Amino acid sequence: MTRLRCAILDDYFNIALDVADWPKLSDRIDVTVFSHPFTSEQAAASALADFEIVCAMRERTAFPKSLFDSLPKLKLLLTSGMRNASIDMEAAKAKGVAIGGTQYSRDPTAPLTMGLILELTRGIGRENARMHAGEPWQTFADVEIEGLTLGIVGLGKLGSKMAGIAKAFGMNVIAWSPNLTPEKCKAAGVGYATKEELFAKADIVTIHVVLSERSRGLVGAADLARMKPTAFLVNTARGPIVDEQALLEALQQRKIAGAGLDVFSVEPLPVDHPFRKLDNLVLTPHLGYATEDGLRIHYGQMVEAIDAWTRGGELPRKLA
């Protein structure tokens, strides 16, 4: 049997080989791990030219038509999750590349969102850094979230989970999205608001919609301008949903109190990005889904899919 080459992409934690049973495939495939992001599409094309199988981690490496055209040997592309907006599915189909996904047992993004909210309002990480640096005792008066209004943009599975967490903290919750109705809000136990009302009334706005052409730039300068000067914005969905230039200007000019971002239009976030220079912005490097438990499931199911595919069977979770 001809041995196949498998590339594991963007394993920033160097954890992939430790959390799944890759040795069960050792009689059929050779595995190469790429721990760092490719600097360009051309670099990706060059590095992956001889691989028949690629395992991608979410949208860290994009697969547009031009990249598929550069990878004639590619036959199987697996992605963590059951959706990946950075893969051109039509191009994959045209090239005869099978696409498979993986499931989640649960979604850890909502707890991370609450962590960002607590950091913005209570400054836990900031005060920890000050204590370790030997700086003076308390110099900041923090904000209590009990009784504040949380505005949720997108009340799907994740947004609804976020609503439950917020209510447990004693917050009032309102929601909006393009297709959301007052009836759906009532069923979820939250208040309905128009987009304009949500941004004007909320003390904290958190975003939980899927990135699509319709949602790209959904939160723009006009929405940020409606926010209270004491309000915060949190985005753990996808970077392009928010107009980053408009957000940068709002933060620089102190038009809102601050923001917490786990996602960005360009990832990894460039080291010279102006976001990194703002003291009213909490930044995390797309931690939303990146837990050891979740990665264990993703890589384990990738091994399962490769095992089935190389034996001539169907992919357990076929996307295309």
Side-chain angles (χ1 to χ4, degrees):
M1 179 178 179
T2 303
R3 296 184 65 81
L4 303 175
R5 297 192 64 189
C6 172
I8 299 175
L9 307 187
D10 302 303
D11 181 17
Y12 298 165
F13 307 106
N14 285 306
I15 197 174
L17 297 183
D18 297 328
V19 296
D21 188 14
W22 296 96
K24 76 181 292 183
L25 305 174
S26 61
D27 62 326
R28 285 159 278 163
I29 70 168
D30 297 314
V31 177
T32 301
V33 176
F34 294 88
S35 300
H36 301 286
F38 297 116
T39 57
S40 65
E41 183 181 319
Q42 291 72 27
S46 176
L48 301 177
D50 292 327
F51 288 88
E52 291 85 7
I53 304 169
V54 170
C55 297
M57 182 52 61
R58 301 300 288 162
E59 293 98 358
R60 291 177 180 178
T61 295
F63 279 81
K65 179 181 183 300
S66 52
L67 183 55
F68 280 111
D69 289 341
S70 301
L71 301 176
K73 292 187 178 181
L74 182 62
K75 299 301 179 186
L76 174 63
L77 175 60
L78 300 174
T79 177
S80 57
M82 294 299 292
R83 181 191 301 115
N84 190 326
S86 72
I87 297 175
D88 187 328
M89 293 295 184
E90 290 301 317
K93 182 178 180 180
K95 290 291 183 180
V97 178
I99 308 289
T102 65
Q103 299 167 315
Y104 289 91
S105 62
R106 50 189 178 269
D107 194 327
T109 303
L112 176 71
T113 302
M114 182 52 70
L116 289 172
I117 291 172
L118 291 174
E119 177 59 30
L120 287 166
T121 55
R122 301 306 307 271
I124 299 166
R126 176 195 65 206
E127 293 303 297
N128 172 67
R130 292 184 66 256
M131 292 285 284
H132 281 287
E135 294 188 18
W137 199 237
Q138 300 173 358
T139 59
F140 295 94
D142 296 332
V143 177
E144 296 182 20
I145 64 171
E146 186 172 357
L148 295 186
T149 295
L150 179 70
I152 301 178
V153 178
L155 197 64
K157 181 179 178 181
L158 184 52
S160 296
K161 184 175 181 179
M162 190 63 222
I165 294 174
K167 288 191 286 185
F169 276 83
M171 301 185 76
N172 304 311
V173 182
I174 58 176
W176 169 86
S177 71
N179 297 319
L180 189 61
T181 64
E183 291 74 24
K184 289 181 180 179
C185 285
K186 184 177 181 180
V190 305
Y192 173 80
T194 66
K195 186 182 185 185
E196 292 76 13
E197 289 170 341
L198 183 141
F199 279 89
K201 292 181 178 179
D203 298 293
I204 301 166
V205 175
T206 180
I207 300 167
H208 300 290
V209 293
V210 174
L211 177 62
S212 66
E213 286 309 308
R214 186 178 181 185
S215 66
R216 189 176 297 272
L218 183 67
V219 177
D223 305 303
L224 298 173
R226 291 187 180 95
M227 294 177 68
K228 304 173 185 178
T230 55
F232 300 95
L233 178 80
V234 177
N235 187 9
T236 56
R238 288 295 183 271
I241 295 170
V242 176
D243 181 334
E244 289 188 344
Q245 184 59 38
L247 178 59
L248 176 64
E249 292 173 5
L251 292 169
Q252 289 173 330
Q253 297 169 24
R254 307 283 175 172
K255 292 182 178 180
I256 62 174
L261 302 179
D262 186 49
V263 290
F264 311 91
S265 292
V266 176
E267 296 183 5
L269 187 69
V271 294
D272 59 348
H273 196 285
F275 275 164
R276 293 182 183 259
K277 299 177 175 64
L278 299 178
D279 63 2
N280 55 350
L281 179 56
V282 175
L283 303 172
T284 50
H286 207 149
L287 298 178
Y289 66 90
T291 66
E292 183 174 332
D293 291 338
L295 293 172
R296 190 178 297 277
I297 292 170
H298 291 319
Y299 289 123
Q301 291 187 357
M302 287 178 181
V303 169
E304 175 190 350
I306 294 169
D307 186 37
W309 183 78
T310 54
R311 293 183 187 278
E314 288 291 321
L315 290 175
R317 287 157 292 275
K318 188 173 182 178
L319 301 183

